[in-house]
Amino acid sequence: MNSRSSGISIRRTGVALLSAAALAALPVVGSQAPTGSAAAVAAERHGRTAWQGGWATSPQPPTAPFGPNWSEQGFSNHTLRQVVRVSKGGAKARIELSNRYGRTPLRITGATVARTGKGASVKAGSVRPLTFGKARSLMIPAGATAYSDGVPFRTEALESVTVTLYLAAPTGPATFHTASSATSYRADGDHRSDRDGSAFKETSNSWYYLTGVEVSGGDRAARRDGVVAFGDSITDGVGSGLNTDNRYPDELAERFAAAGKPRSVLNHGIGGNQVTNDTFWAGEKGIARFKKDVLSEPNVGTVIVLEGINDIGGSGWQGFPGGATPEVSAERLIEGHRSLIRQAHAKNIKVVGATLTPIKGSLYDDKDGVNEAKRNAVNHWIRTSGEYDSVVDLDRALADPKGGMRVAYDSGDALHPNDAGYRVMAEALDLDTL
């Protein structure tokens, strides 16, 4: 990064970053048609156009627990360019923008989508302007979520797309996603249609406002076979390489594509999140955010739950960002998992339970063994209770027979996997049960 760039590096903290967030996703409000645009979005979402998630992330409140980023200051006369990879392609595309944690209405002066080039550049002839209720600009109320209109934009599975937002007016603190494992770019002034990326002088390793790219094959009905990976930093991909798309949900999407059956695979992990406790830097507890981060996604049939290691590791540990979180027993954590199962089953969504991964040798490995005992108790319940529709044993997939995580799969903190570890996690999943 250059001297003006901002970013985060969470890998070295040794703190498991898990998922969190929630609040109401409100309808889009177009700048020229505040009522008609909401109706148009509803018609497009539930009517003729059958949408599925191509890419997603969970929004978080502005914060900077591990170093500077752009969330607390926000943007003013800036162009923001962000690159994401879709798990499934389509003939049309649209984006989702979140102002869930904004204190004031958010003005999007303009937006485009394009095929990704090198770095901040995009491929010639690929830039498509986006509209919102047929308007080029958009005002998103504080606390709300908005969708662009669908635009003809053919994508293939595992293709990267670049979404560019021009933010002319001061935004105030920004809703964002902390640990993107991807580079975002910022330029002064309006560069939303630039093909060349030379104007984008600043970089950040977080995502801002952009929380989804949805795809559609046209008018035919979409299959209800989308998969959501729900969890913490180990779902979020902390420890994986920057700009490599090697998080375990990415690897899972690659397995589907290699089998000739691409599917929607969405990552709703948030670093530091807990199942049972809210935290100032990692969002609402998982049982609260599950409804809006998972159940709001279109045409989802399965969710994989891998969460709880931060509830255990943060209990009473002053090294946890913001200080120790309230004590969580294995029994309380299990009840949290049961809440997630009930919420998913109420929407006829299959739930796959993932065992909690190794902690021996990490900062969560307390000397008296209490944390390991809790982890083992929760894993025993996941494996044997029969309450999950199926189980993937990620603990055993990553574990060294002598204890802890295999060195070959360890990113260096004995807690987060590296690229090889995330690949092993994805390979442990039975595609026929998802």
Side-chain angles (χ1 to χ4, degrees), residues 225-270:
D225 64 354
V227 178
V228 174
F230 182 78
D232 47 39
S233 56
I234 300 175
T235 296
D236 213 1
V238 171
S240 66
L242 181 66
N243 298 321
T244 59
D245 293 310
N246 284 333
R247 313 161 192 86
Y248 101 75
D250 298 319
E251 298 285 353
L252 177 60
E254 291 178 13
R255 288 191 63 202
F256 281 125
K261 299 178 180 179
R263 285 169 65 176
S264 168
V265 180
L266 305 179
N267 189 332
H268 277 292
I270 297 180

Side-chain angles (χ1 to χ4, degrees), residues 41-52 92-94 150 214-222 298-299:
V41 166
E44 195 169 25
R45 190 172 184 89
H46 301 293
R48 292 185 301 276
T49 302
W51 295 101
Q52 280 199 307
K92 296 178 67 177
R94 71 177 186 179
E214 294 185 0
V215 297
S216 171
D219 293 341
R220 67 181 183 271
N299 291 303

Side-chain angles (χ1 to χ4, degrees), residues 16-268:
L17 305 176
L18 289 145
S19 17
L23 284 181
L26 302 180
V28 61
V29 179
S31 62
Q32 297 176 9
T35 56
S37 60
V41 166
E44 195 169 25
R45 190 172 184 89
H46 301 293
R48 292 185 301 276
T49 302
W51 295 101
Q52 280 199 307
W55 169 87
T57 195
S58 293
Q60 297 177 246
T63 185
F66 301 107
N69 58 58
W70 300 331
S71 69
E72 293 181 312
Q73 183 177 0
F75 304 88
S76 179
N77 191 30
H78 286 121
T79 301
L80 176 62
R81 183 161 277 185
Q82 302 176 91
V83 178
V84 300
R85 189 180 77 167
V86 295
S87 57
K88 181 177 181 176
K92 296 178 67 177
R94 71 177 186 179
I95 66 170
E96 178 186 77
L97 300 173
S98 177
N99 193 27
R100 184 184 293 182
Y101 299 106
R103 301 171 187 169
T104 59
L106 169 66
R107 178 121 182 135
I108 307 292
T109 307
T112 61
V113 62
R115 302 189 188 285
T116 303
K118 183 178 180 181
S121 68
V122 298
K123 293 183 179 179
S126 71
V127 177
R128 299 288 183 270
L130 294 172
T131 58
F132 306 87
K134 299 184 179 180
R136 290 294 180 98
S137 60
L138 169 72
M139 188 73 78
I140 309 176
T145 295
Y147 298 87
S148 73
D149 302 325
V151 61
F153 187 79
R154 183 167 294 279
T155 53
E156 301 297 331
L158 309 182
E159 181 177 1
S160 291
V161 300
T162 297
V163 176
T164 305
L165 308 176
Y166 176 45
L167 306 162
T171 64
T175 296
F176 84 132
H177 183 88
T178 308
S180 64
S181 297
T183 303
S184 297
Y185 305 89
R186 186 166 73 172
D188 295 330
D190 183 2
H191 297 276
R192 74 188 100 164
S193 298
D194 286 15
R195 185 184 70 80
D196 189 332
S198 60
F200 294 87
K201 305 295 187 183
E202 300 177 80
T203 60
S204 170
N205 294 346
S206 298
W207 286 309
Y208 303 84
Y209 300 122
L210 181 67
T211 51
V213 175
E214 294 185 0
V215 297
S216 171
D219 293 341
R220 67 181 183 271
R223 294 184 61 186
R224 193 168 178 267
D225 64 354
V227 178
V228 174
F230 182 78
D232 47 39
S233 56
I234 300 175
T235 296
D236 213 1
V238 171
S240 66
L242 181 66
N243 298 321
T244 59
D245 293 310
N246 284 333
R247 313 161 192 86
Y248 101 75
D250 298 319
E251 298 285 353
L252 177 60
E254 291 178 13
R255 288 191 63 202
F256 281 125
K261 299 178 180 179
R263 285 169 65 176
S264 168
V265 180
L266 305 179
N267 189 332
H268 277 292

Side-chain angles (χ1 to χ4, degrees), residues 274-295:
Q274 299 188 17
V275 175
T276 63
N277 291 317
D278 298 330
T279 61
F280 81 94
W281 61 278
E284 288 187 66
K285 54 194 173 188
I287 57 174
R289 79 179 182 94
F290 192 80
K291 179 179 179 180
K292 289 302 177 184
D293 284 356
V294 175
L295 302 184

